[in-house]
Amino acid sequence: MVKINIKHFSDWYFENKSALLKRAEAWKKQNMQLAKEFLKEWPLDRIKTMELDEYVIGRGPANKSLCYEIEAGKYRDLHLGIRGGSANKFGIYWNKEKQVYCNKRNQPIPASELEAEFTKLKADLIAILEAGIKKILIVQNLVVKIHFLHGQLSLLNYYVPIQLKIRM
């Protein structure tokens, strides 16, 4: 059994510092390239005009929705990962088993309410992104990754209809 303490860690770090820094630089370069690709593929204007199925996860990899690409697709390893847990973190998702859109409480959303629910979610997402672009530190996780990809270092958690406390 190896005993870990600050001295051992310090020795290990100094022995490996050069290699660690090279790996960090390569990771940073890769992330910067992926971030550029994300901003090209998902600019704020596209997010503002996206349709429900461009947003939701649950329709499979061929869908290439925003939520799929961020959690499991092309951008899954870019900055902070959000894999795991439930799809309810996205606020609205497609439930394959029930063949219905569900909300963050994993309840089916009635067809008569779906457009209003998505419009509210998208408005909240856009408000958070625009607030972040104005250098505001806020809130709550799906948006974390989108936020990071848009170059902001705000911390978010998972989608909850927001009552933003915006500090300018």
Side-chain angles (χ1 to χ4, degrees):
M1 183 167 122
V2 177
K3 196 171 190 177
I4 305 292
N5 63 38
I6 195 69
K7 170 82 171 97
H8 288 116
F9 175 77
S10 181
D11 291 345
W12 171 85
Y13 175 77
F14 285 111
E15 287 172 20
N16 295 285
K17 183 179 176 181
S18 180
L20 292 169
L21 290 174
K22 282 180 186 172
R23 284 183 24 211
E25 261 319 299
W27 178 85
K28 180 181 175 183
K29 198 176 205 178
Q30 178 186 5
N31 268 283
M32 288 172 64
Q33 181 58 41
L34 268 178
K36 285 178 186 175
E37 291 174 28
F38 176 84
L39 291 173
K40 233 178 174 176
E41 192 173 335
W42 289 98
L44 189 55
D45 287 341
R46 179 176 179 194
I47 292 171
K48 287 179 178 180
T49 60
M50 74 181 159
E51 299 294 325
L52 179 62
D53 282 341
E54 288 179 275
Y55 173 78
V56 297
I57 199 162
R59 294 279 193 180
N63 183 1
K64 295 203 180 276
S65 69
L66 177 63
C67 295
Y68 175 82
E69 287 296 309
I70 288 171
E71 182 174 45
K74 180 178 181 179
Y75 304 107
R76 73 179 178 263
D77 294 323
L78 179 55
H79 299 297
L80 299 175
I82 60 171
R83 284 178 275 199
S86 167
N88 70 349
K89 66 182 156 234
F90 299 113
I92 298 175
Y93 67 96
W94 176 254
N95 185 306
K96 289 180 230 172
E97 188 178 299
K98 296 177 184 177
Q99 292 292 298
V100 68
Y101 294 98
C102 291
N103 63 23
K104 66 180 177 143
R105 293 176 302 285
N106 300 315
Q107 300 299 312
I109 302 171
S112 61
E113 298 173 19
L114 187 57
E115 189 173 328
E117 290 269 338
F118 180 61
T119 298
K120 172 71 173 126
L121 182 148
K122 189 164 62 167
D124 289 347
L125 174 60
I126 291 163
I128 290 167
L129 291 172
E130 287 177 338
I133 289 166
K134 293 176 185 170
K135 300 287 184 198
I136 296 169
L137 178 63
I138 308 188
V139 277
Q140 305 184 348
N141 173 7
L142 151 68
V143 202
V144 160
K145 189 134 184 185
I146 298 170
H147 224 239
F148 269 85
L149 296 173
H150 273 275
Q152 306 305 317
L153 296 177
S154 297
L155 298 177
L156 310 161
N157 200 319
Y158 64 89
Y159 177 73
V160 175
I162 58 175
Q163 294 108 12
L164 283 179
K165 295 178 183 154
I166 297 177
R167 298 181 191 139
M168 300 249 188

